Amino acid sequence: MKNNHVREQDLVTSVVLFFAGLFIFKESVALSQISLSRDISFWESAGLTPGLLGILLVFCSILLFVQSVKKFEKGTLRSSMKEWAVGLYQSKAVRAVVIGALIIGAYTMILFRFLPFWLCSFATLVYLFIHLKATTWKKAAIISGIAVGAVVILFEYIFHVPLP
Amino acid sequence: MEYIIEAFLIACTPLNLLALIGSTLLGLVCGMLPGLTSTMAVALLTGLSYGLPTQTALIVVISVYVGAISGGCQSAVLLNIPGTPASAATAQDGYPLAQQGKAGLAIFLATTSSFIATVISIICVAAFTPTLSAWALNFGVYEYFMLSFFGIVICGNLTAKENPLKGWIAGFVGLFIAQIGLESINAIPRFVYDNVSLRGGIQLIPVMIGLFGFPEILNAFQRSGKKEIGELEKFNPIEGLRIIKNNIFNIIRSSFIGVSVGIIPGVGEDIGGWLSYWATKSLSKDPDSFGTGNPAGIIAPEAGNNACVGGALIPVLSLAVPGSTSAAVLLAAFYLHGYLPGPLLYTDSPDFVYKLCVYMVLASFAMWALALIVSRFSVKILGIRAELLMPVILMLCVIGSYVVRSYKFDVYVMFVFGILGYLMVKMNYPAAPFMLGVILGNMFDSNLRRGLLLSDGSLLPFITRPISAAFLVAIVLMLLSQLGVFRKISAWRKAKKAAQTS
């Protein structure tokens, strides 16, 4: 699928990367100070490489910013950005992906932490099949049961890898 | 010879034979299904095979790689949708041939040329890797630093679709991710913020699974719909073999193109396929027949993309710089199983390259035989909808990330990098230089600091040592050319000349 909003996306990412680069550089200065306080030379200090990468990121983000601003026609930057942001907010595809990410996030970050693997995986699989309208709930339960069962048998009993 | 026989005997044990056939089959199915890439298949299997004995795990990752690259041709022929980007060129003539009622023949030609090309590329691996490794023995800390920097820059250049700057940014962010955790020289924690889990650094496998597996799972939330799949008719294998015989020079030429493309860091199998297709079409007496179901148009791209498998392994094994995204994932798999590719590989593990070659030959033979059997069921396999497949893949991603260290934190890492991977895909940032950055991060950092320590802070050795200087010149030229500096200088000169003449 063709991405029609590259310039808007580049503008936003260039700003994010600029601040990320600055943050990395600031942290690298602190790391270098820790190294210097332990009598480690500057060339060997822990902050040298992150500092260099921070500078490279800042430099690249400025270039990207300039490149993307040049792609806008004069006086259209603000309106184009607004149009893109509104389109993003109203997009059904974006909403579907955000919901998908939330479901997967709930599975990996919450359910996986507190429930046994087989239970959280079974519940998530059944829910995902129904949410994606892949099949009926009865078939979803059967497929999920077989998939989770196969994984548990393969790893727990054949590979002897303990599952959470 | 001793190593080759040993490798053959290892591969022939019941467990390894089962692993070889099972993984090749899995690779074929992954390659066949649009949305499941070879990189994703290797990344997933690397995590899942962690608990297996080392040689078995190697057989698994190699077999799945060989199978996945080849499997893409089946959906390219039957659906006109390449299962992997590597098979994009195959669809040009494969699908028209299928529409003429010769889908079976098209798959036979694609699979047989894939098999022959893989074997040729493996011969190249065995022939060129020792030479390149011997040359790389001259590398010191300065050369290693420059090599890692060069790898990031060239990978960024070649994988970013329209803007190499984005490829470099992805590579630099990857290098930064590798800096998280205890640093290698003085064990000072970096970017850890009192999080005990971060002290050990970010693990490769969860990053890899997140970057390459997760975006496709999220995409399943966006798309739906049924696919139109063609029917598979019976064909005469003798006719297929005759076409292969007539195209043997085409296969050899495409194989060498594929190997050459594979060696270049960051250039994927898809380029190998397209270049071979283009070369065959250009040299053909009947170029107009291409795109209408010319068998040479199926044989060339399939030989080209499969030869990249071996080509991409040459820099991985000799320099520890991957030739493609899938090879980057393979490099991580080798590290995970205790092998350290690079100039010292022949000293530390002299048998490794030969074992790998034997496993690849066996995997490619298994791929050939299985692909012909599987092609009978291709129509059914291709009918599986992403909505049914992706939730199961999600569970495998979680398991793959978890089993390496049996640590729940790695699953959270997979999720975070999965979201990042999805955003990168949507914003046209290539994932390959990012992954390469994470792999080469430690090499980049430790060699830079050791080099500066040895030279007492002087940058001169980076410039005065010949190999290091050559890398530096290549990096500078690449950066300047991609930023359009040469174009601007040329335009400025032309304008100056025009002003002088007027």
Side-chain angles (χ1 to χ4, degrees), chain A residues 3 6 9-10 13 17 23-24 27 31 34-35 38 40-41 43-46 48-50 52-53 56-57 60-61 63-64 67 93 96-97 100-101 103-105 107-109 112-113 117 121 124-125 128-129 131-135 143 147-148 151 155 159 161-164, chain B residues 48 51-52 145 149 162-163 165-166 168-169 172-173 175-176 179 183 185-191 193 214 217-218 220-222 385 387-388 391-392 394-396 398-399 402-403 406 408 411-412 414-416 419 422 426-429 444-445 448-449 452-453 456-457 483:
Chain A
N3 188 346
V6 177
Q9 290 169 354
D10 285 357
T13 48
L17 286 166
F23 173 76
I24 293 169
E27 290 291 293
L31 281 168
I34 294 172
S35 298
R38 293 187 191 178
I40 297 166
S41 72
W43 307 115
E44 205 189 337
S45 77
L48 183 76
T49 311
L52 181 69
L53 291 172
L56 284 171
L57 268 182
C60 288
S61 64
L63 281 180
L64 188 64
Q67 277 181 3
V97 167
I103 296 169
I104 298 170
Y107 170 47
T108 53
M109 310 288 269
F112 187 72
R113 181 182 283 186
F117 170 77
S121 296
T124 310
L125 252 61
L128 277 176
F129 284 136
H131 178 83
L132 293 170
K133 294 179 183 136
T135 184
I143 297 168
V148 174
V151 163
F155 284 93
F159 291 170
V161 176
L163 295 176
Chain B
L48 295 176
L52 293 173
F145 167 72
F149 198 22
E162 87 274 326
N163 191 352
L165 191 60
K166 288 185 172 181
W168 302 335
I169 289 174
F172 297 147
V173 176
L175 283 174
F176 165 70
Q179 308 307 311
E183 53 105 3
I185 299 181
N186 298 301
I188 294 172
R190 294 191 289 204
F191 305 96
Y193 307 107
F214 207 85
I217 297 169
L218 276 183
F221 285 86
Q222 273 183 295
R385 287 157 58 207
E387 291 88 341
L388 268 175
V392 180
L394 168 68
M395 184 177 65
L396 294 177
V398 168
I399 286 288
Y402 175 80
V403 292
S406 296
K408 285 183 179 176
V411 176
Y412 313 149
M414 184 275 294
F415 176 71
V416 171
I419 297 285
Y422 178 80
K426 290 292 159 190
M427 295 187 174
N428 296 352
Y429 282 84
F444 181 88
D445 172 51
L448 170 67
R449 290 192 288 150
L452 287 171
L453 198 67
D456 206 18
L483 291 173

Side-chain angles (χ1 to χ4, degrees), chain A residues 81-135:
Chain A
M81 288 302 290
K82 197 179 167 187
E83 194 186 318
W84 173 67
V86 171
L88 211 61
Y89 180 73
Q90 290 173 341
S91 164
K92 279 185 183 171
V94 172
R95 216 170 293 169
V97 167
V98 171
I99 291 169
L102 286 174
I103 296 169
I104 298 170
Y107 170 47
T108 53
M109 310 288 269
I110 303 167
L111 295 178
F112 187 72
R113 181 182 283 186
F114 299 110
L115 293 176
F117 170 77
W118 66 269
L119 183 59
C120 69
S121 296
F122 177 76
T124 310
L125 252 61
V126 172
Y127 182 75
L128 277 176
F129 284 136
I130 294 167
H131 178 83
L132 293 170
K133 294 179 183 136
T135 184

Side-chain angles (χ1 to χ4, degrees), chain B residues 37-67:
Chain B
T37 61
S38 58
T39 315
M40 180 190 183
V42 179
L44 208 56
L45 261 287
T46 303
L48 295 176
S49 64
Y50 183 69
L52 293 173
T54 308
Q55 296 305 318
T56 313
L58 275 180
I59 290 171
V60 166
V61 288
I62 285 292
S63 307
V64 84
Y65 182 32
V66 172

Side-chain angles (χ1 to χ4, degrees), chain B residues 306-460:
Chain B
N306 276 271
C308 283
V309 171
L313 277 177
I314 296 171
V316 166
L317 297 171
S318 52
L319 304 170
V321 173
S324 69
T325 318
S326 313
V329 179
L330 270 183
L331 177 63
F334 296 155
Y335 279 137
L336 195 74
H337 291 289
Y339 289 105
L340 299 173
L344 294 176
L345 183 67
Y346 273 88
T347 320
D348 297 340
S349 321
D351 56 332
F352 181 65
V353 175
Y354 300 105
K355 278 183 179 167
L356 211 60
C357 290
V358 171
Y359 298 158
M360 279 177 75
V361 170
L362 292 174
S364 57
F365 180 74
M367 173 272 292
W368 180 73
L370 286 170
L372 294 179
I373 298 167
V374 165
S375 66
R376 295 174 191 195
F377 310 101
S378 297
V379 176
K380 279 192 176 169
I381 295 170
L382 288 169
I384 301 174
R385 287 157 58 207
E387 291 88 341
L388 268 175
L389 206 62
M390 289 308 167
V392 180
I393 300 280
L394 168 68
M395 184 177 65
L396 294 177
C397 285
V398 168
I399 286 288
S401 309
Y402 175 80
V403 292
V404 176
R405 296 196 300 171
S406 296
Y407 199 33
K408 285 183 179 176
F409 180 76
D410 289 341
V411 176
Y412 313 149
V413 169
M414 184 275 294
F415 176 71
V416 171
F417 281 92
I419 297 285
L420 186 68
Y422 178 80
L423 292 175
M424 284 173 73
V425 170
K426 290 292 159 190
M427 295 187 174
N428 296 352
Y429 282 84
F434 185 98
M435 189 66 219
L436 196 58
V438 180
I439 292 172
L440 298 179
N442 190 36
M443 181 172 157
F444 181 88
D445 172 51
S446 57
N447 286 300
L448 170 67
R449 290 192 288 150
R450 285 202 181 104
L452 287 171
L453 198 67
L454 286 172
S455 65
D456 206 18
S458 169
L459 292 170
L460 271 178

Side-chain angles (χ1 to χ4, degrees), chain B residues 80-102:
Chain B
N80 199 23
I81 303 170
T84 57
S87 297
T90 313
Q92 296 293 310
D93 280 278
Y95 189 61
L97 202 62
Q99 283 180 316
Q100 292 165 25
K102 293 179 179 174

